[in-house]
Structure formats: C-alpha cells, structure tokens
Amino acid sequence: TLTYYDTLLYKVKNTPKNTQIIYVTRDIERALGMPLSENYKIVTNRTSYSESIKKQYPEFITLIDPQNDPRTIATESLKIHDLLDTNELLETSEMSSLMIQASASATDTTPAILVFKNTIIIEAICKNNGWHLLNPSAALAEKIENKITQIEWLGELTKKYLPPHEVAITKDIKWQKTPLVLQWAHGHTGDGTILINSSEELAILQKKFPDRLARATSFVMGPSFTVNIIVTPNGIFTGNISYQITGLPPFTDNPFSTIGNDWSLSHTLLSESELSKIEDMAREIGEKLSKEGYCGMCGIDVIRDDERGQIYLIEINARQPASTTFESFLQEENRRNGLVGITIFEAYRMALLGSIINAPIIHVNDGAQIIKRITKNPAYMADDLIGSLELSGYRVIQYSNTEYNSDQLRIQSMKGIMEAHAKFNSRGKEITDSFL
C-alpha cells in the first residue's frame, strides 16, 4: 500500500484543472486571496465581516451560524457562541448539503476541499465523506513545523541555516551565561517561545517542566523577515520578502508574537546579497519539500543576526501563511497599474491543481498590515475606532475571536507603516495612537 507521501504527487497530477475549490475556513479573511467565482467558493462562520463579504458574492459564500452548534453555552443573560473551527464546519449539515449539491450539479467540474491549516482530524473527515482534500499531508506538515522533529527533517540544511542550538529535556539544559531562546515542540504566534536571560529564569522553568523536550537556541538580535513560497513538482516560486513586525505594544503583550508585515522596509534593511540569501534559502527548503511530495504553499521566517551579519532560519510554516491574502491584494493593485504576472494566491491555486506556472510572481515593494491581538490587559479602543481608521484610508478587518493572543483587528495600509526595525513611521504612529 502506498503511503500518503507516495500518492500525494499522483493526486496533484490527477486533479482536474477545472476543479471547483471550496475553501473551508474559521476566518473568512484567510480565503480572500482571489475573487470568488463558480469555481472558487467559501464556507465559513457567520460574522459581521463575513456577512459584508457575502453581500459582494452572494452566490459563492456559505455562512454557518455558530449558534446552531451544540457547543453553544447558555448563561443567565445571554448565549456565547464560539466560532466553529474548520473541522467543525466540515461536519455541519450545511457542508454536507453543499458538497452533495456541488457533486450533483457538476458537469465538467469536480468539487474539492481546501483549508487554511490541515490536520489529521480534517483528513479523516474528508476521507470518511469521500471528499477530495487539496492540502498537503498533515503528518508531513507536523514533522516540518514541530521545533524538535524539524531539525531531523532539515538534515544537511540544519547547520547551514539554523542558529546554534541543542535539543534536550529542560532539566539538562545548561546556562552558558548568555541569553537563550527556549522553544517547545509546538507553538503559535510566539506562545511556545520563551526568552531566558538568567540562570534563575532557567531554574524556574526546569522545576516546572523538568522532563519536557525543548530546543534551546542562542539568542539572536536583529530584524526578522517573511517570504511565502509556492512548491510545485515543476519548480519553486517565491513571493515578496516582507519585514516581520513582532512583539510591539499595544498590539500584543507577547514579545515573540508576529503582528504584521511591511513590504516597504525589506529593501531598506537588507542588502542585495542578503535578499538573495533569503531567496536561496526559500528555494532550497522548497525543493526539499517538493522531493517529499509536498505541493502548495508554505512560508519561512528568518532573522538577520546584526552582531554576526548572518541570516538564520527561525520558522517554517508548512501551510498557507497568514500574510498571503494581503500580499495578493497588493499584487492585484500593482497589476491594475501595469505590472505583469500573477499573485501569490493565484500561484497557490495553480500549484494545487497541477497547472504549470509560467508567469512571474508580481513584485511588491510597498504596503503593510498590522494585527491587534487580544491581550491580557485590553488596550483602549474607542467606539468609532474602526470608522476613524477607515476614514484615514486604512482597511480594517474585525475578528470575532475571544482566545488570548488571537486576532482582534487586522489593519491594512497601501503604504508602509515602519520607519526602521521596531520603529513606526508617521502612518504607524497614527494607527498606534488610535489605541491610546
């Protein structure tokens, strides 16, 4: 019997080019990388934002009410409705009806599922229903993203791209009198990353998690960057390198949380040689993924060590990165202004459908987005905050999340908002001042 890895490439090559993609997602923003159509539809939670998008595409969006889910919690005065996760959306009656309808009405198209982040639960649901899932293997993605197994997976690229590190159970990690970064196997938006500045801080962690396996990495000081990658059997294609906005208040109270991207700052902070190094790293990691049957999108985060002048890999996201949607929006705007090529999301779709990509990825050198995350001590937000930001020319996306450090607002600008590493320009300060 062939493994998932063995059959993945076959699946991609045999996916009909006229497949109808149904993107199932907890947050609709993740799926808005290209215009909706008969062959590209969305299933998502009903929120005020998703309702506003449905007004633009009434035939191509299915909204599901979280209140109809059995998890609804009743309180004395109100009902609290958590948004349904992707696997829960897949198990709704609305989803089943949509897939039955799509399969029955299809004459020259085949329906297939696409999700933001694949899991073994999602794979099982799709398999049990006989639905075609376009995402790469969840097991492979886990192996790559896991901070421990990633080292083995990288193989010969480990010494080439990772900063100095060791893997050990916490109680065996030695204090070397220099700051170190401790990472558990799993983390999200920085919550699995801990900066250790003293032997006392390490001792506290060792007492709390003595036998927990961790990756201890020498602390690197410098700006970090993100690049999105398209992996296909026929080649690796890279998006535009963006400066990664990280850990700045009042947008987060976690110093390691990614809170946005700025496409205007990369060429200011990085030399041509450093830009080439990042692109070479992206291609080399993409090629390694391709050899294992991975096809679709991924992204890498890197950091420049300002002390040593080195570029190090800090994270691999074996899925569609969150910056994809806005990068594609900026690319569409540049295409309207005469640039030739395709967006990163269009390339993603082509890769999943096995199409040959023979057009350039559209260049972007301006624009930014910043995310206001849910913090332990909520920042002040005026009632007219969103309207005020929109009047100032920003695009604002509001989320219905309640979990700590999850997205609350996504604020997007056609121009950069950063003046230098960790320093806002006048636009960035205008946004920041809105929360004070």
Side-chain angles (χ1 to χ4, degrees):
T1 303
L2 295 178
T3 66
Y4 191 99
Y5 308 124
D6 297 324
T7 59
L8 186 60
L9 187 58
Y10 175 85
K11 181 178 79 170
V12 171
K13 287 184 175 179
N14 289 274
T15 298
K17 305 299 185 293
N18 55 350
T19 294
Q20 179 188 113
I21 295 178
I22 300 175
Y23 198 131
V24 185
T25 176
R26 183 179 188 275
D27 297 308
I28 191 171
E29 184 271 336
R30 303 291 195 252
L32 297 177
M34 61 184 291
L36 304 189
S37 66
E38 192 62 45
N39 278 349
Y40 183 62
K41 299 181 178 181
I42 297 174
V43 175
T44 190
N45 287 286
R46 182 182 297 279
T47 65
S48 57
Y49 182 66
S50 64
E51 286 180 332
S52 71
I53 301 299
K54 184 173 174 63
K55 289 178 182 178
Q56 302 174 45
Y57 302 99
E59 299 178 7
F60 307 134
I61 296 177
T62 299
L63 299 182
I64 297 177
D65 289 300
Q67 64 185 7
N68 295 331
D69 183 71
R71 301 175 314 135
T72 297
I73 304 170
T75 66
E76 292 182 2
S77 58
L78 73 159
K79 289 184 176 180
I80 302 172
H81 311 303
D82 290 336
L83 296 184
L84 302 185
D85 290 332
T86 301
N87 60 291
E88 293 166 328
L89 289 167
L90 286 167
E91 293 186 296
T92 60
S93 58
E94 293 96 329
M95 185 69 207
S96 296
S97 298
L98 178 64
M99 291 301 288
I100 292 171
Q101 181 183 0
S103 298
S105 62
T107 54
D108 59 346
T109 60
T110 303
I113 303 294
L114 178 63
V115 299
F116 177 70
K117 181 177 175 62
N118 191 16
T119 66
I120 56 174
I121 294 174
I122 288 172
E123 286 181 346
I125 293 170
C126 290
K127 182 179 180 181
N128 291 339
N129 284 282
W131 297 339
H132 183 43
L133 179 64
L134 290 171
N135 296 77
S137 158
L140 178 57
E142 157 64 17
K143 185 177 181 181
I144 295 162
E145 292 192 355
N146 183 299
K147 298 301 186 295
I148 309 303
T149 58
Q150 180 187 96
I151 294 173
E152 180 185 355
W153 180 82
L154 280 168
E156 71 281 0
L157 300 182
T158 301
K159 290 184 178 180
K160 187 174 182 180
Y161 291 134
L162 289 181
H165 64 275
E166 68 167 324
V167 174
I169 57 174
T170 311
K171 66 182 179 183
D172 290 342
I173 295 171
K174 306 297 183 185
W175 175 248
Q176 302 295 336
K177 299 183 179 180
T178 57
L180 61 88
V181 174
L182 211 65
Q183 291 177 297
W184 309 125
H186 298 95
H188 175 64
T189 62
D191 60 9
T193 301
I194 305 163
L195 177 61
I196 307 294
N197 284 300
S198 67
S199 59
E200 290 78 14
E201 289 180 358
L202 179 58
I204 292 170
L205 212 59
Q206 288 173 323
K207 185 177 180 179
K208 190 174 183 180
F209 305 107
D211 299 313
R212 193 170 183 178
L213 198 61
R215 184 163 108 187
T217 303
S218 299
F219 179 67
V220 176
M221 180 72 76
S224 55
F225 304 87
T226 297
V227 59
N228 299 326
I229 307 165
I230 304 297
V231 180
T232 82
N234 306 298
I236 309 302
F237 303 85
T238 59
N240 297 275
I241 299 171
S242 64
Y243 168 76
Q244 188 180 82
I245 310 171
T246 306
L248 297 180
F251 302 97
T252 181
D253 50 17
N254 184 326
F256 290 103
S257 282
T258 302
I259 54 169
N261 310 84
D262 191 305
W263 282 267
S264 71
L265 198 58
S266 304
H267 289 265
T268 300
L269 293 179
L270 294 167
S271 66
E272 289 301 317
S273 174
E274 289 170 331
L275 290 166
S276 295
K277 285 181 182 178
I278 295 173
E279 290 172 351
D280 289 344
M281 186 190 302
R283 276 194 279 279
E284 202 161 1
I285 291 171
E287 287 165 1
K288 188 170 182 63
L289 281 163
S290 183
K291 288 177 182 177
E292 296 212 31
Y294 190 101
C295 186
M297 187 183 291
C298 65
I300 61 170
D301 297 340
V302 304
I303 189 167
R304 185 185 66 198
D305 185 340
D306 283 345
E307 183 180 342
R308 301 171 185 83
Q310 293 284 337
I311 301 291
Y312 289 119
L313 173 70
I314 54 177
E315 187 162 291
I316 303 174
N317 291 308
R319 55 166 172 78
Q320 171 193 332
S323 61
T324 304
T325 303
F326 192 54
E327 180 179 359
S328 297
F329 177 84
L330 294 171
Q331 289 170 320
E332 286 179 352
E333 289 297 305
N334 286 352
R335 184 162 54 193
R336 291 189 188 98
N337 292 324
L339 289 189
V340 176
I342 58 175
T343 70
I344 195 76
F345 203 95
E346 288 168 343
Y348 180 33
R349 180 179 181 276
M350 293 172 71
L352 292 172
L353 299 184
S355 301
I356 301 296
I357 298 175
N358 53 15
I361 306 296
I362 296 171
H363 181 64
V364 170
N365 61 6
D366 208 350
Q369 64 176 351
I370 192 160
I371 301 158
K372 171 66 181 71
R373 297 193 180 280
I374 295 175
T375 53
K376 292 176 182 176
N377 297 310
Y380 171 74
M381 297 199 316
D383 292 339
D384 63 346
L385 171 68
I386 294 177
S388 177
L389 286 168
E390 289 176 338
L391 284 174
S392 296
Y394 302 105
R395 298 172 77 238
V396 183
I397 298 168
Q398 185 171 19
Y399 295 86
S400 300
N401 297 319
T402 57
E403 185 180 350
Y404 167 69
N405 212 35
S406 58
D407 296 2
Q408 187 174 19
L409 294 176
R410 185 176 296 260
I411 304 159
Q412 299 173 332
S413 169
M414 297 304 295
K415 298 290 185 179
I417 63 172
M418 304 301 297
E419 180 179 314
H421 173 40
K423 183 179 180 181
F424 290 112
N425 63 16
S426 57
R427 283 180 293 273
K429 290 175 182 176
E430 180 180 41
I431 295 171
T432 302
D433 290 346
S434 299
F435 295 94
L436 302 179

